[in-house]
Amino acid sequence: LNISPQYNYCYIEETHTYYWIEDITALNANNWQFSCTIDALATFADDIKKTTGLYLKSEKILLKFN
C-alpha cells in the first residue's frame, strides 16, 4: 500500500476521548490499525477547568554563617 493516513490525533465520539496517534498499520487496502495514547488534558479539559484549588508556594532560605 502506497497511501497511509497522515494523522497524529483523533477523537472517539462514542467515548468522548481524545488520543495521540503513535503508529498506524495497514491491515489491508481499506483497513488500518491505530495505536494511540490518551490525551488526558484534552479529554478531561472541561472537568479540569471547573476544578478549584489552592496553590501554595514555599521557599527555603538558606543562611550561610562563616
Side-chain angles (χ1 to χ4, degrees):
L1 300 171
N2 296 329
I3 300 171
S4 66
Q6 299 298 312
Y7 303 106
N8 68 350
Y9 203 70
C10 66
Y11 175 72
I12 308 297
E13 216 172 292
E14 292 82 9
T15 60
H16 307 287
T17 309
Y18 293 88
Y19 293 93
W20 291 105
I21 299 173
E22 303 291 335
D23 190 36
I24 303 173
T25 304
L27 301 178
N28 58 45
N30 298 312
N31 293 294
W32 303 86
Q33 176 178 309
F34 291 77
S35 298
C36 304
T37 302
I38 190 169
D39 182 349
L41 288 178
T43 298
F44 301 107
D46 291 337
D47 293 329
I48 292 168
K49 291 174 188 175
K50 293 177 193 173
T51 302
T52 59
L54 178 62
Y55 173 75
L56 299 174
K57 182 179 178 184
S58 175
E59 288 187 29
K60 184 176 182 180
I61 300 173
L62 298 175
L63 299 175
K64 293 185 179 180
F65 295 98
N66 290 334

mmCIF file of all heavy atoms in Angstrom, residues 27-43:
data_model
loop_
_atom_site.group_PDB
_atom_site.id
_atom_site.type_symbol
_atom_site.label_atom_id
_atom_site.label_comp_id
_atom_site.label_asym_id
_atom_site.label_seq_id
_atom_site.Cartn_x
_atom_site.Cartn_y
_atom_site.Cartn_z
ATOM 1 N N LEU A 27 -3.816 -2.944 7.621
ATOM 2 C CA LEU A 27 -4.229 -4.333 7.746
ATOM 3 C C LEU A 27 -4.553 -4.919 6.374
ATOM 4 O O LEU A 27 -4.304 -6.087 6.112
ATOM 5 C CB LEU A 27 -5.437 -4.441 8.678
ATOM 6 C CG LEU A 27 -5.206 -3.917 10.098
ATOM 7 C CD1 LEU A 27 -6.479 -4.019 10.908
ATOM 8 C CD2 LEU A 27 -4.072 -4.679 10.770
ATOM 9 N N ASN A 28 -5.117 -4.085 5.527
ATOM 10 C CA ASN A 28 -5.364 -4.412 4.114
ATOM 11 C C ASN A 28 -5.634 -3.094 3.395
ATOM 12 O O ASN A 28 -5.404 -2.032 3.968
ATOM 13 C CB ASN A 28 -6.505 -5.444 3.957
ATOM 14 C CG ASN A 28 -7.808 -4.979 4.567
ATOM 15 O OD1 ASN A 28 -8.213 -3.835 4.379
ATOM 16 N ND2 ASN A 28 -8.457 -5.859 5.307
ATOM 17 N N ALA A 29 -6.147 -3.144 2.177
ATOM 18 C CA ALA A 29 -6.315 -1.925 1.378
ATOM 19 C C ALA A 29 -7.274 -0.915 1.996
ATOM 20 O O ALA A 29 -7.147 0.284 1.752
ATOM 21 C CB ALA A 29 -6.787 -2.293 -0.020
ATOM 22 N N ASN A 30 -8.226 -1.367 2.797
ATOM 23 C CA ASN A 30 -9.250 -0.465 3.323
ATOM 24 C C ASN A 30 -9.303 -0.376 4.843
ATOM 25 O O ASN A 30 -10.146 0.333 5.386
ATOM 26 C CB ASN A 30 -10.633 -0.892 2.818
ATOM 27 C CG ASN A 30 -10.732 -0.811 1.314
ATOM 28 O OD1 ASN A 30 -10.353 0.190 0.721
ATOM 29 N ND2 ASN A 30 -11.192 -1.870 0.695
ATOM 30 N N ASN A 31 -8.453 -1.110 5.530
ATOM 31 C CA ASN A 31 -8.497 -1.129 6.987
ATOM 32 C C ASN A 31 -7.140 -0.799 7.588
ATOM 33 O O ASN A 31 -6.107 -1.301 7.141
ATOM 34 C CB ASN A 31 -8.958 -2.507 7.496
ATOM 35 C CG ASN A 31 -10.391 -2.783 7.126
ATOM 36 O OD1 ASN A 31 -11.292 -2.116 7.601
ATOM 37 N ND2 ASN A 31 -10.593 -3.767 6.257
ATOM 38 N N TRP A 32 -7.188 0.036 8.631
ATOM 39 C CA TRP A 32 -5.977 0.489 9.302
ATOM 40 C C TRP A 32 -6.105 0.246 10.791
ATOM 41 O O TRP A 32 -7.186 0.341 11.359
ATOM 42 C CB TRP A 32 -5.767 1.989 9.053
ATOM 43 C CG TRP A 32 -5.689 2.326 7.607
ATOM 44 C CD1 TRP A 32 -6.734 2.589 6.764
ATOM 45 C CD2 TRP A 32 -4.530 2.382 6.806
ATOM 46 N NE1 TRP A 32 -6.288 2.833 5.495
ATOM 47 C CE2 TRP A 32 -4.924 2.715 5.489
ATOM 48 C CE3 TRP A 32 -3.169 2.216 7.073
ATOM 49 C CZ2 TRP A 32 -4.017 2.872 4.458
ATOM 50 C CZ3 TRP A 32 -2.272 2.374 6.038
ATOM 51 C CH2 TRP A 32 -2.694 2.696 4.754
ATOM 52 N N GLN A 33 -4.992 -0.067 11.419
ATOM 53 C CA GLN A 33 -4.952 -0.236 12.869
ATOM 54 C C GLN A 33 -4.183 0.941 13.448
ATOM 55 O O GLN A 33 -3.057 1.212 13.045
ATOM 56 C CB GLN A 33 -4.255 -1.536 13.241
ATOM 57 C CG GLN A 33 -4.092 -1.734 14.742
ATOM 58 C CD GLN A 33 -3.441 -3.069 15.027
ATOM 59 O OE1 GLN A 33 -3.874 -4.094 14.542
ATOM 60 N NE2 GLN A 33 -2.384 -3.031 15.815
ATOM 61 N N PHE A 34 -4.812 1.636 14.398
ATOM 62 C CA PHE A 34 -4.202 2.797 15.025
ATOM 63 C C PHE A 34 -3.783 2.442 16.442
ATOM 64 O O PHE A 34 -4.574 1.929 17.217
ATOM 65 C CB PHE A 34 -5.204 3.960 15.090
ATOM 66 C CG PHE A 34 -5.541 4.541 13.742
ATOM 67 C CD1 PHE A 34 -6.410 3.895 12.877
ATOM 68 C CD2 PHE A 34 -4.983 5.743 13.358
ATOM 69 C CE1 PHE A 34 -6.726 4.432 11.643
ATOM 70 C CE2 PHE A 34 -5.290 6.291 12.127
ATOM 71 C CZ PHE A 34 -6.161 5.626 11.258
ATOM 72 N N SER A 35 -2.534 2.723 16.780
ATOM 73 C CA SER A 35 -2.047 2.579 18.153
ATOM 74 C C SER A 35 -2.011 3.980 18.748
ATOM 75 O O SER A 35 -1.343 4.869 18.215
ATOM 76 C CB SER A 35 -0.647 1.973 18.173
ATOM 77 O OG SER A 35 -0.674 0.689 17.620
ATOM 78 N N CYS A 36 -2.753 4.162 19.858
ATOM 79 C CA CYS A 36 -2.948 5.505 20.395
ATOM 80 C C CYS A 36 -2.654 5.583 21.883
ATOM 81 O O CYS A 36 -2.692 4.589 22.594
ATOM 82 C CB CYS A 36 -4.396 5.943 20.170
ATOM 83 S SG CYS A 36 -4.919 5.880 18.455
ATOM 84 N N THR A 37 -2.395 6.828 22.324
ATOM 85 C CA THR A 37 -2.218 7.142 23.733
ATOM 86 C C THR A 37 -3.207 8.249 24.067
ATOM 87 O O THR A 37 -3.318 9.235 23.325
ATOM 88 C CB THR A 37 -0.786 7.638 24.011
ATOM 89 O OG1 THR A 37 0.130 6.632 23.609
ATOM 90 C CG2 THR A 37 -0.587 7.957 25.475
ATOM 91 N N ILE A 38 -3.921 8.096 25.179
ATOM 92 C CA ILE A 38 -4.940 9.077 25.537
ATOM 93 C C ILE A 38 -4.326 10.447 25.816
ATOM 94 O O ILE A 38 -3.248 10.551 26.393
ATOM 95 C CB ILE A 38 -5.765 8.598 26.759
ATOM 96 C CG1 ILE A 38 -6.977 9.493 26.977
ATOM 97 C CG2 ILE A 38 -4.898 8.514 27.996
ATOM 98 C CD1 ILE A 38 -7.968 8.958 27.973
ATOM 99 N N ASP A 39 -5.005 11.487 25.350
ATOM 100 C CA ASP A 39 -4.640 12.862 25.678
ATOM 101 C C ASP A 39 -5.536 13.264 26.841
ATOM 102 O O ASP A 39 -6.662 13.735 26.660
ATOM 103 C CB ASP A 39 -4.850 13.775 24.476
ATOM 104 C CG ASP A 39 -4.432 15.211 24.748
ATOM 105 O OD1 ASP A 39 -4.177 15.554 25.916
ATOM 106 O OD2 ASP A 39 -4.380 15.998 23.786
ATOM 107 N N ALA A 40 -5.050 13.060 28.051
ATOM 108 C CA ALA A 40 -5.848 13.285 29.255
ATOM 109 C C ALA A 40 -6.246 14.749 29.420
ATOM 110 O O ALA A 40 -7.361 15.045 29.857
ATOM 111 C CB ALA A 40 -5.094 12.786 30.480
ATOM 112 N N LEU A 41 -5.365 15.676 29.089
ATOM 113 C CA LEU A 41 -5.700 17.088 29.238
ATOM 114 C C LEU A 41 -6.859 17.493 28.339
ATOM 115 O O LEU A 41 -7.767 18.203 28.768
ATOM 116 C CB LEU A 41 -4.481 17.967 28.962
ATOM 117 C CG LEU A 41 -3.392 17.942 30.023
ATOM 118 C CD1 LEU A 41 -2.220 18.825 29.596
ATOM 119 C CD2 LEU A 41 -3.928 18.394 31.365
ATOM 120 N N ALA A 42 -6.860 17.048 27.093
ATOM 121 C CA ALA A 42 -7.955 17.373 26.181
ATOM 122 C C ALA A 42 -9.223 16.624 26.559
ATOM 123 O O ALA A 42 -10.321 17.181 26.534
ATOM 124 C CB ALA A 42 -7.560 17.050 24.749
ATOM 125 N N THR A 43 -9.090 15.358 26.925
ATOM 126 C CA THR A 43 -10.250 14.541 27.265
ATOM 127 C C THR A 43 -10.975 15.089 28.485
ATOM 128 O O THR A 43 -12.209 15.129 28.519
ATOM 129 C CB THR A 43 -9.820 13.082 27.509
ATOM 130 O OG1 THR A 43 -9.263 12.572 26.288
ATOM 131 C CG2 THR A 43 -10.986 12.214 27.923
#
